[in-house]
Amino acid sequence: MKGSDLIAEMVASGRIRGIGFGSPVADVESAFPLDCVDDEDDEGLSLRRDYGLVEFFFNGGPEWVVVGASVEVHRLATDPALQEEWRRIQGVDFPEYLTWEDVERSLSRLPVAPGLRVSRDQTGYVEYRSIDTRVSVLVVDGPEERHHRPGGGDVFSVALG
């Protein structure tokens, strides 16, 4: 699967590899058999789990459940090992730089493409947001060139929440 297809599916469904709002931590571990770093707050009320390319956010309680997620696409530009790890373990082929144009093409091939609201409220980025799935894609705005980070028209990150 291409990285643009994975992001398009996330935008359309509000889920990444089957994981979305309310998914228990055990399901995340099953869907992402990768090394991770946990960052739990002192009160045990929240947990951030960082898998390198993907981060999940959990609420506390009797069982951790997903309350948000992000795909840190910009990390691909400086960490080729992330590309290889996702290709090998997840079967997803991400390029060093993922363009919004590629994601749009993937969205157009879906049976039902989500409607997107476009906003330029964040300096330096265009946000494409699906209100239905609560997924936002931040795309670098302007003529910025690629220098170890995404340039103009490249996806910077994708957020569920």
Side-chain angles (χ1 to χ4, degrees), residues 8-9 11-13 100 103-116 129-130 132-133:
E9 286 179 11
V11 171
S13 70
W100 173 245
V103 174
E104 281 185 309
R105 264 195 295 280
S106 292
L107 283 166
S108 73
R109 290 191 296 269
L110 295 175
V112 178
L116 299 174
R129 181 161 178 83
S130 169
D132 294 335
T133 62

Side-chain angles (χ1 to χ4, degrees), residues 117-122 125-129:
R117 184 184 73 209
V118 181
S119 168
R120 285 187 162 78
D121 292 341
Q122 298 191 41
Y125 299 95
V126 177
E127 177 188 36
Y128 296 88
R129 181 161 178 83

Side-chain angles (χ1 to χ4, degrees), residues 2-155:
K2 292 172 26 176
S4 59
D5 295 335
L6 179 76
I7 299 304
E9 286 179 11
M10 184 177 175
V11 171
S13 70
R15 304 180 81 69
I16 180 166
R17 307 300 275 188
I19 304 298
F21 293 116
S23 294
V25 71
D27 289 357
V28 174
E29 291 168 349
S30 178
F32 293 89
L34 308 163
D35 291 337
C36 66
V37 174
D38 284 346
D39 181 20
E40 184 177 342
D41 74 335
D42 292 336
E43 293 81 33
L45 299 176
S46 66
L47 169 68
R48 180 182 65 88
R49 179 166 280 185
D50 187 342
Y51 286 95
L53 183 60
V54 178
E55 295 182 6
F56 289 96
F57 307 95
F58 302 86
N59 72 346
E63 183 174 342
W64 295 109
V65 295
V66 172
V67 294
S70 64
V71 181
E72 303 297 335
V73 178
H74 60 92
R75 292 179 180 174
L76 293 166
T78 58
D79 192 349
L82 280 177
Q83 290 172 282
E84 179 53 33
E85 179 180 58
W86 273 73
R87 185 179 301 112
R88 186 174 42 82
I89 297 173
Q90 295 288 337
V92 179
D93 188 18
F94 272 103
E96 181 179 13
Y97 302 100
L98 178 64
T99 68
W100 173 245
E101 185 177 302
D102 287 341
V103 174
E104 281 185 309
R105 264 195 295 280
S106 292
L107 283 166
S108 73
R109 290 191 296 269
L110 295 175
V112 178
L116 299 174
R117 184 184 73 209
V118 181
S119 168
R120 285 187 162 78
D121 292 341
Q122 298 191 41
T123 303
Y125 299 95
V126 177
E127 177 188 36
Y128 296 88
R129 181 161 178 83
S130 169
I131 301 303
D132 294 335
T133 62
R134 296 170 47 193
V135 174
S136 294
V137 181
L138 284 183
V139 176
V140 178
D141 193 16
E144 191 168 328
E145 293 184 26
R146 295 172 174 163
H147 294 290
H148 302 294
R149 60 170 269 135
D154 290 335
V155 175

